[in-house]
Amino acid sequence: MPSSPLSAPYKVTDEHRVHFRRDGFILLRNVLDAAAVERYRRPIMGVVEDVARTRDTQGRISDYSAMFTQVTNVWRLAEAAREFVFAERFARVAADLMGVKGVRLYHDQVLVKEPGGKPTPWHQDQYYWPLDTDNTVTMWMPLVDVEPKMGTMTFVPGSHRDTSFNRMEISDRSQRYFEELVRISGVVVPSFSLNAGDATFHAGWTLHSAHKNTSDRRREVMTVIYYADGARVVAPDNEHRKVDLDVFIPGRKPGEPADTDLNPLLYPTS
Ligand SMILES: O=C(O)CCC(=O)C(=O)O
């Protein structure tokens, strides 16, 4: 029996692993083929339309609506979205890049940057996550072809290993602070065009941002955040981590395993 596009393994090479560990991000082509992306895009975007009419911040503290329409844990809202988010193929890539045996779901997000959507400021995701591991990774997969003027992501190579940064929430302040650091360092940050089904994977501490959307097309993106199986909860040291703990790892206390019903083991599946 042929395997489904969501379960067939994607070949992660040693070169990919080295690249990911060195830079803290990697762009992988054709993680899902365009036809399969299109099959899932429609129901996922249908959910976004429904939710966007009624809610926007999804339990987060900040309102990101000028940057994007954000729907979190869309897997709970539609069977097609669940299939996509639970895809063994994606989770296995996450495990392979991090070099861990298994990964759990932290949460997913659909991020739609509308035409005219503002840039996403420089930030580090893990500032928000009350987890005791740095083995965390986000898959960022456009569901339509995207180019930099639609608001693709950019990353600072090696920034996941730099522990000297001030910790701060995503904001105009983080943009000013990190933009200046990037400018002083002289590092060249990459810009990518991606086809639907290509994906970037970035580590939780990798400094990243996204361009504004100056095009007349919607940037429709699905993200899935994974962490190494076995991770435990740490005591939240900021308000955002408190909120994340309540929303994404509900009921768990510091020191306990981060393994609630909202954090299924996505790889291995058996
Ligand atoms: O899509 C964006 O504009 C930002 C996404 C992001 O920061 C993330 O997925 O970690």
Side-chain angles (χ1 to χ4, degrees):
M1 199 172 101
S3 55
S4 120
L6 292 181
S7 59
Y10 181 94
K11 175 86 183 131
V12 173
T13 64
D14 286 344
E15 201 183 330
H16 290 147
R17 266 187 284 273
V18 168
H19 180 118
F20 177 75
R21 287 195 201 144
R22 183 194 61 217
D23 289 354
F25 70 91
I26 191 166
L27 165 62
L28 297 177
R29 298 288 181 190
N30 207 26
V31 177
L32 189 61
D33 69 74
V37 174
E38 189 53 23
R39 275 203 301 281
Y40 287 96
R41 187 183 77 82
R42 290 166 187 277
I44 290 172
M45 292 313 297
V47 172
V48 174
E49 306 296 321
D50 289 348
V51 173
R53 272 196 289 275
T54 52
R55 288 178 285 171
D56 61 5
T57 57
Q58 295 295 301
R60 292 280 199 176
I61 295 172
S62 309
D63 179 3
Y64 300 130
S65 56
M67 293 176 229
F68 37 62
T69 305
Q70 178 189 40
V71 181
T72 303
N73 273 345
V74 71
W75 69 270
R76 302 180 75 190
L77 305 176
E79 177 54 25
R82 197 192 69 78
E83 281 173 26
F84 187 98
V85 171
F86 282 33
E88 189 178 351
R89 180 175 173 90
F90 306 154
R92 184 178 180 151
V93 172
D96 283 353
L97 289 174
M98 293 191 288
V100 300
K101 287 206 177 99
V103 292
R104 288 186 179 271
L105 175 67
Y106 187 54
H107 65 77
D108 68 51
Q109 297 188 102
V110 186
L111 298 173
V112 179
K113 207 182 267 289
E114 303 287 345
K118 288 190 173 172
T120 306
W122 287 111
H123 66 284
Q124 295 176 294
D125 298 333
Q126 202 149 336
Y127 171 79
Y128 290 86
W129 302 341
L131 295 169
D132 73 348
T133 181
D134 289 347
N135 273 327
T136 56
V137 65
T138 300
M139 179 184 80
W140 188 95
M141 179 182 283
L143 305 178
V144 293
D145 295 349
V146 293
E147 53 184 325
K149 71 174 185 185
M150 289 173 73
T152 53
M153 292 262 274
T154 187
F155 308 90
V156 177
S159 51
H160 62 308
R161 287 183 274 108
D162 192 327
T163 53
S164 70
F165 301 145
N166 292 344
R167 303 287 188 218
M168 63 182 76
E169 65 180 35
I170 183 171
S171 58
D172 291 345
R173 184 167 154 256
S174 71
Q175 176 62 23
R176 283 195 300 274
Y177 172 71
F178 288 120
E179 189 176 37
E180 181 61 3
L181 290 185
V182 173
R183 192 188 66 74
I184 291 167
S185 73
V187 70
V188 177
V189 297
S191 272
F192 307 111
S193 291
L194 290 83
N195 294 321
D198 294 344
T200 57
F201 289 78
H202 66 273
W205 286 114
T206 303
L207 189 51
H208 61 284
S209 63
H211 306 290
K212 59 188 167 194
N213 185 353
T214 57
S215 79
D216 56 7
R217 283 173 297 149
R218 297 194 338 159
R219 190 211 68 177
E220 298 171 358
V221 166
M222 185 75 205
T223 71
V224 184
I225 305 168
Y226 308 90
Y227 55 84
D229 182 33
R232 289 174 183 270
V233 167
V234 289
D237 54 359
N238 65 47
E239 287 303 311
H240 298 279
R241 284 187 169 188
K242 272 188 204 153
V243 172
D244 261 39
L245 180 55
D246 283 351
V247 175
F248 299 124
I249 322 174
R252 287 291 186 274
K253 306 257 175 322
E256 293 181 350
D259 62 353
T260 75
D261 290 348
L262 295 187
N263 319 113
L265 189 65
L266 297 185
Y267 180 80
T269 50
S270 55

